[in-house]
Amino acid sequence: MSTKEKIQEQHEVDTLEQKNNEIVLYNDDVNTFDHVIDTLIYACDHTPEQAEQCSILVHYKGKCTVKTGVYEELEPRCTMLLEAGLSAEIV
């Protein structure tokens, strides 16, 4: 086995072990922009600018990925969004 084959094999193993999930936030007709922005800052550690951009995307596109990472990290954040009355899921 050449050195090149060993490096390629190691890279593929590292890639398989690091699967990321996403929290997707969905639009609704209930929550205000301010509430969504404040909740994203609190639950997802967004900057005010990030939170505002996500809220605009959700409003016009219907949904937006607001956080990516491993499932164990995303689960409590998604729970905070849901408890604040927002519509979100981990995919």
Side-chain angles (χ1 to χ4, degrees):
M1 185 181 277
S2 73
T3 304
K4 187 175 184 178
E5 290 173 333
K6 288 179 184 178
I7 291 171
Q8 179 65 27
E9 183 178 326
Q10 181 64 35
H11 178 68
E12 289 174 2
V13 171
D14 290 344
T15 303
L16 292 175
E17 292 175 0
Q18 299 175 350
K19 182 176 186 298
N20 279 336
N21 295 93
E22 301 175 341
I23 296 177
V24 178
L25 181 65
Y26 295 96
N27 191 32
D28 62 42
D29 295 328
V30 178
N31 294 293
T32 65
F33 276 94
D34 287 339
H35 178 65
V36 174
I37 290 168
D38 291 342
T39 305
L40 288 173
I41 291 169
Y42 169 72
C44 297
D45 294 326
H46 281 205
T47 65
E49 293 80 13
Q50 284 176 305
E52 183 179 2
Q53 289 173 349
C54 286
S55 67
I56 291 169
L57 284 170
V58 168
H59 180 73
Y60 287 107
K61 300 279 188 178
K63 64 181 180 178
C64 177
T65 298
V66 294
K67 195 76 172 175
T68 59
V70 294
Y71 185 86
E72 292 75 19
E73 176 192 324
L74 299 180
E75 186 177 25
R77 294 178 186 274
C78 189
T79 299
M80 285 188 267
L81 294 173
L82 296 172
E83 288 175 350
L86 303 183
S87 299
E89 71 175 340
I90 300 173
V91 294

